[in-house]
Amino acid sequence: SPTNITILLTIEYNRMKEIRTESILKAIECNPRSICLGHDSWTSRSNDSYFAITISYAINYKPVHLKLGCFPFNDSHTIIKTEQLISNTIQKFGFNINNISSMVKDTAPNSIGVFKSNKKIYNLKCFAHVTQLFLRSNKNVDLSDAIDKIHKVATKLSSNSNRTNVLFKAEEELGMKEHLKAIINVETRFGCNEIMFTRMDQIFEAV
């Protein structure tokens, strides 16, 4: 028999599914082809395969991003099986392939082929996946100059309280809800360059 934890998780899943379905149907009511669907598959270190589906749309000009699920996917990743998994999943949330205007996917041949025959769906290659392949194929790409320049800007913003206050004022004028300081990369900190880049992207207009 199911445990209390299983029962609670099932109840919570059904509750969240109902909320998501209501939001999705609201978007479709305004625009029948308003859904952008993203999908990706990967294999874990223990050699287990998974498949994830996300969707994005807008309600009253406000973007909404939802995860529909992450599933074990140990079958062969054929185009037909992938299309079946996507179709079965989105039907559970009250919409179908005719409500999808665009689809974000990686560059694997079987992924590119998913619903490719549907000419009403605009296919987009995942930016992160393309970037990763580019960096792998161009191992001699030198980012040190960009890192150094952003580091200098972040250092100037952080080392002077007057500059920091000017930054905060600029952020307020842009309508940002909280004050964000520049972050300096520290070589001993894991992912320090990514953290510095991300923060600079967040405050770029203010800077």
Side-chain angles (χ1 to χ4, degrees):
S1 59
T3 64
N4 290 336
I5 294 178
T6 302
I7 294 173
L8 290 173
L9 287 174
T10 302
I11 293 173
E12 180 62 15
Y13 170 80
N14 289 331
R15 186 183 72 84
M16 294 304 298
K17 179 184 172 185
E18 184 177 343
I19 293 173
R20 280 167 165 74
T21 301
E22 183 178 345
S23 174
I24 294 167
L25 293 178
K26 185 177 179 180
I28 292 174
E29 184 179 351
C30 297
N31 181 357
R33 297 185 62 82
S34 58
I35 306 295
C36 173
L37 184 143
H39 64 83
D40 191 20
S41 59
W42 69 95
T43 303
S44 69
R45 292 180 179 178
S46 57
N47 210 33
D48 294 317
S49 295
Y50 296 92
F51 189 85
I53 300 174
T54 62
I55 59 172
S56 300
Y57 52 90
I59 295 181
N60 296 327
Y61 302 102
K62 294 182 179 179
V64 179
H65 308 288
L66 298 178
K67 301 178 183 69
L68 298 190
C70 179
F71 318 94
F73 195 42
N74 293 316
D75 290 334
S76 56
H77 294 190
T78 64
I79 294 174
I80 293 176
K81 289 185 177 180
T82 302
E83 290 180 346
Q84 288 175 343
L85 178 56
I86 292 174
S87 296
N88 292 339
T89 301
I90 63 178
Q91 285 175 10
K92 294 177 182 178
F93 288 86
F95 69 105
N96 57 55
I97 199 67
N98 295 321
N99 301 123
I100 297 175
S101 61
S102 56
M103 193 171 289
V104 181
K105 54 186 71 172
D106 64 34
T107 56
N110 281 357
S111 181
I112 292 175
V114 172
F115 293 113
K116 188 176 181 179
S117 60
N118 190 324
K119 302 303 181 183
K120 293 183 179 180
I121 296 178
Y122 187 74
N123 290 288
L124 300 165
K125 293 181 180 179
C126 173
F127 176 78
H129 191 81
V130 172
T131 302
Q132 184 182 39
L133 291 177
F134 170 77
L135 292 175
R136 282 185 179 179
S137 62
N138 294 272
K139 295 181 180 179
N140 295 324
V141 172
D142 187 5
L143 298 176
S144 58
D145 186 52
I147 294 172
D148 183 59
K149 288 180 178 179
I150 295 177
H151 174 84
K152 288 179 178 178
V153 174
T155 300
K156 285 185 177 181
L157 291 171
S158 303
S159 61
N160 185 291
S161 59
N162 290 331
R163 292 196 187 101
T164 301
N165 290 332
V166 171
L167 174 64
F168 288 166
K169 185 176 180 180
E171 291 173 353
E172 291 172 2
E173 292 175 353
L174 288 169
M176 296 174 65
K177 296 181 179 180
E178 60 178 327
H179 291 156
L180 298 177
K181 292 183 178 181
I183 296 178
I184 302 172
N185 58 336
V186 180
E187 291 185 359
T188 55
R189 183 185 301 158
F190 178 78
C192 62
N193 290 329
E194 181 182 358
I195 294 170
M196 181 177 69
F197 286 164
T198 300
R199 176 51 57 86
M200 189 58 68
D201 180 57
Q202 291 173 325
I203 63 176
F204 181 78
E205 288 188 47
V207 173

